[in-house]
Amino acid sequence: MQEHEAQFRNYLKNRGLKLTRSRALILNAAFTMHEHFDAEKLHDLVKHANISLATVYRTLPLLVNAGLIQLAVHSGRRDRFEHILGHPQHVHWLCENCKAVMETDLSSLLPALENEAKALKFDISQISLSIKGLCWKCKADVNESQ
Amino acid sequence: MQEHEAQFRNYLKNRGLKLTRSRALILNAAFTMHEHFDAEKLHDLVKHANISLATVYRTLPLLVNAGLIQLAVHSGRRDRFEHILGHPQHVHWLCENCKAVMETDLSSLLPALENEAKALKFDISQISLSIKGLCWKCKADVNESQ
DNA sequence: AAACTTGTTGCAAATGATTCTCATAATAAG
DNA sequence: CTTATTATGAGAATCATTTGCAACAAGTTT
Ligand SMILES: [Mn+2]
Ligand SMILES: [Mn+2]
Ligand SMILES: [Zn+2]
Ligand SMILES: [Zn+2]
């Protein structure tokens, strides 16, 4: 069994919830994807098994609370997620023009943040750093058109 | 005239938009508040002047594009904003238990980020760093109840 | 393995924040 | 003041997400 399955099974058992066929399929679909995804995208991957969109929506918060996925970027009106296991924390660079998302390592900033957390007596569970602006490609385009 | 009014007037004029009574009132309401606010909260502050919620929603993106306010936290299903002028960039620490939001200075992290931006040739327009977890108070409560 | 208890699902209807339509009003310019 | 154009209120429309409910499936107990 994969690590994420074991973690989910454990999370569910701890609170008297059941590991159903639907939930297992949705979990695996989430770990199939290596980019950001929203509820509908996830549903696309499992609807062949007659799983409803409502069930996807009901499973998403379970996966979040189990520490398996997290809210990634909120662009537009849909929530977008990404899986966590095997995907270390990173910075999201969002181009406001072409909507591209780049990622860079967050580790160099971690010590400073952990220091501050200690000073605040704050228990960190998730760090989300996203930076909006213009990517190099769009910056070039803007300059051209001037 | 306040600095934010001048900046807004200038922004509007540059693109042939009009500085209306409604927009001026909404802008000032936004700078009246020193916490995060959503569209409805802003509307509460201006509806005495018979300003509709739709107009508030139409003005919000203008204020964002003018660099006067920014999306602060997207909690729950509502967008929450904060004014920028006179409110330097900061880190948001969100307690997942009591929903409290603390803020700390971001300046110590800026040099590292600006360096990375330079390497990526990325033009930063907004940095948003939010950290979820447990505040010291809730951490204490949790320990007690064990 | 059958019975039982409790949580789960699909479906469709409900919700709620945000956006849009359109007829009327306000603004900036000349 | 007149004109050209943008803005506004009211309410309808959107659309992602949530819910109610009756049928089902998972885990547990005989
Ligand atoms: Mn990511
Ligand atoms: Mn803030
Ligand atoms: Zn771009
Ligand atoms: Zn707290």
Side-chain angles (χ1 to χ4, degrees), chain A residues 16-18 20 22-23 50-52 55 58 77:
Chain A
L17 303 178
K18 294 169 178 171
T20 61
S22 304
R23 286 174 179 167
N50 196 37
I51 293 176
S52 75
T55 293
R58 285 187 278 234
R77 286 165 67 169

Side-chain angles (χ1 to χ4, degrees), chain B residues 36 72 82 87 90 92 103:
Chain B
H36 298 169
E82 64 189 338
H87 192 190
H90 48 274
H92 287 135
E103 305 191 338

Side-chain angles (χ1 to χ4, degrees), chain A residues 3-4 6 18 29 31 36 41 43-44 46 49 59 69 80 82 91 97 99 102 107 119 124 133 135-136 139 143 146:
Chain A
E3 189 178 351
H4 55 262
K18 294 169 178 171
F31 275 82
H36 298 170
K41 172 86 186 184
H43 183 227
D44 283 345
V46 297
T59 303
I69 66 174
R80 302 184 67 76
E82 63 189 339
V91 184
N97 186 243
K99 310 299 177 195
M102 264 179 300
S107 54
I124 295 181
C135 74
W136 67 272
K139 197 162 48 165
N143 289 333
Q146 274 175 353

Side-chain angles (χ1 to χ4, degrees), chain B residues 17-18 20 22-23 50-52 55 58 77:
Chain B
L17 303 178
K18 293 169 179 172
T20 62
S22 304
R23 286 175 178 167
N50 195 37
I51 291 177
S52 75
T55 293
R58 284 186 279 234
R77 193 104 270 94

